[in-house]
Amino acid sequence: MPPRVWIPNQRVTNYASHSAEARSLYREILRTAKHFHWCDENGQPWNIRLKQQARQEFESAKEERDPLILARLLVTGRDCVQQVQQKFNQADRAAWSRITNDSGVRR
């Protein structure tokens, strides 16, 4: 039997819990990707490109059964999504700040 992996705020670390966490992470990635409206250098919208890349990553990890590798993939994926969300929010706030400063609108 493989060793148990301790993940904070999670009581059971079996395949079913990893599967639920993977679905949750995938949905979070899709929700985050919706906010990327601009196009890459080839003219393809980033939200479509990000969704395709996420699908590829999840498909490649679909057959993984090792709980340590699954936990590492999930933790790394969650961390990456949170970093992207934070950077996006910072850039969004900076853009709005620049807009309000340039337009002379005061809050």
Side-chain angles (χ1 to χ4, degrees):
M1 178 163 198
R4 290 199 163 253
V5 177
W6 180 77
I7 300 174
N9 299 327
Q10 193 162 349
R11 289 190 175 95
V12 179
T13 56
N14 59 23
Y15 177 72
S17 63
H18 285 140
S19 179
E21 177 63 22
R23 282 192 305 275
S24 172
L25 176 59
Y26 184 70
R27 286 191 299 266
E28 185 68 23
I29 291 169
L30 294 181
R31 281 191 293 269
T32 302
K34 273 196 240 182
H35 298 287
F36 289 80
H37 298 291
W38 53 92
C39 295
D40 65 4
E41 60 278 353
N42 299 324
Q44 183 182 22
W46 270 102
N47 58 355
I48 293 172
R49 187 172 171 185
L50 291 170
K51 288 176 186 179
Q52 290 171 345
Q53 187 63 36
R55 188 77 204 145
Q56 266 183 336
E57 292 289 330
F58 276 81
E59 284 294 327
S60 67
K62 190 176 183 179
E63 301 302 320
E64 186 59 56
R65 297 288 184 245
D66 182 3
L68 291 174
I69 293 174
L70 286 171
R72 185 179 306 137
L73 289 169
L74 292 171
V75 168
T76 303
R78 184 67 66 185
D79 183 52
C80 289
V81 169
Q82 289 172 349
Q83 287 180 25
V84 166
Q85 290 170 339
Q86 288 173 353
K87 288 178 183 178
F88 187 88
N89 289 336
Q90 288 171 353
D92 189 52
R93 280 193 299 272
W96 278 109
S97 175
R98 196 169 44 249
I99 288 169
T100 55
N101 289 340
D102 290 349
S103 67
V105 175
R106 303 284 181 220
R107 287 187 183 190

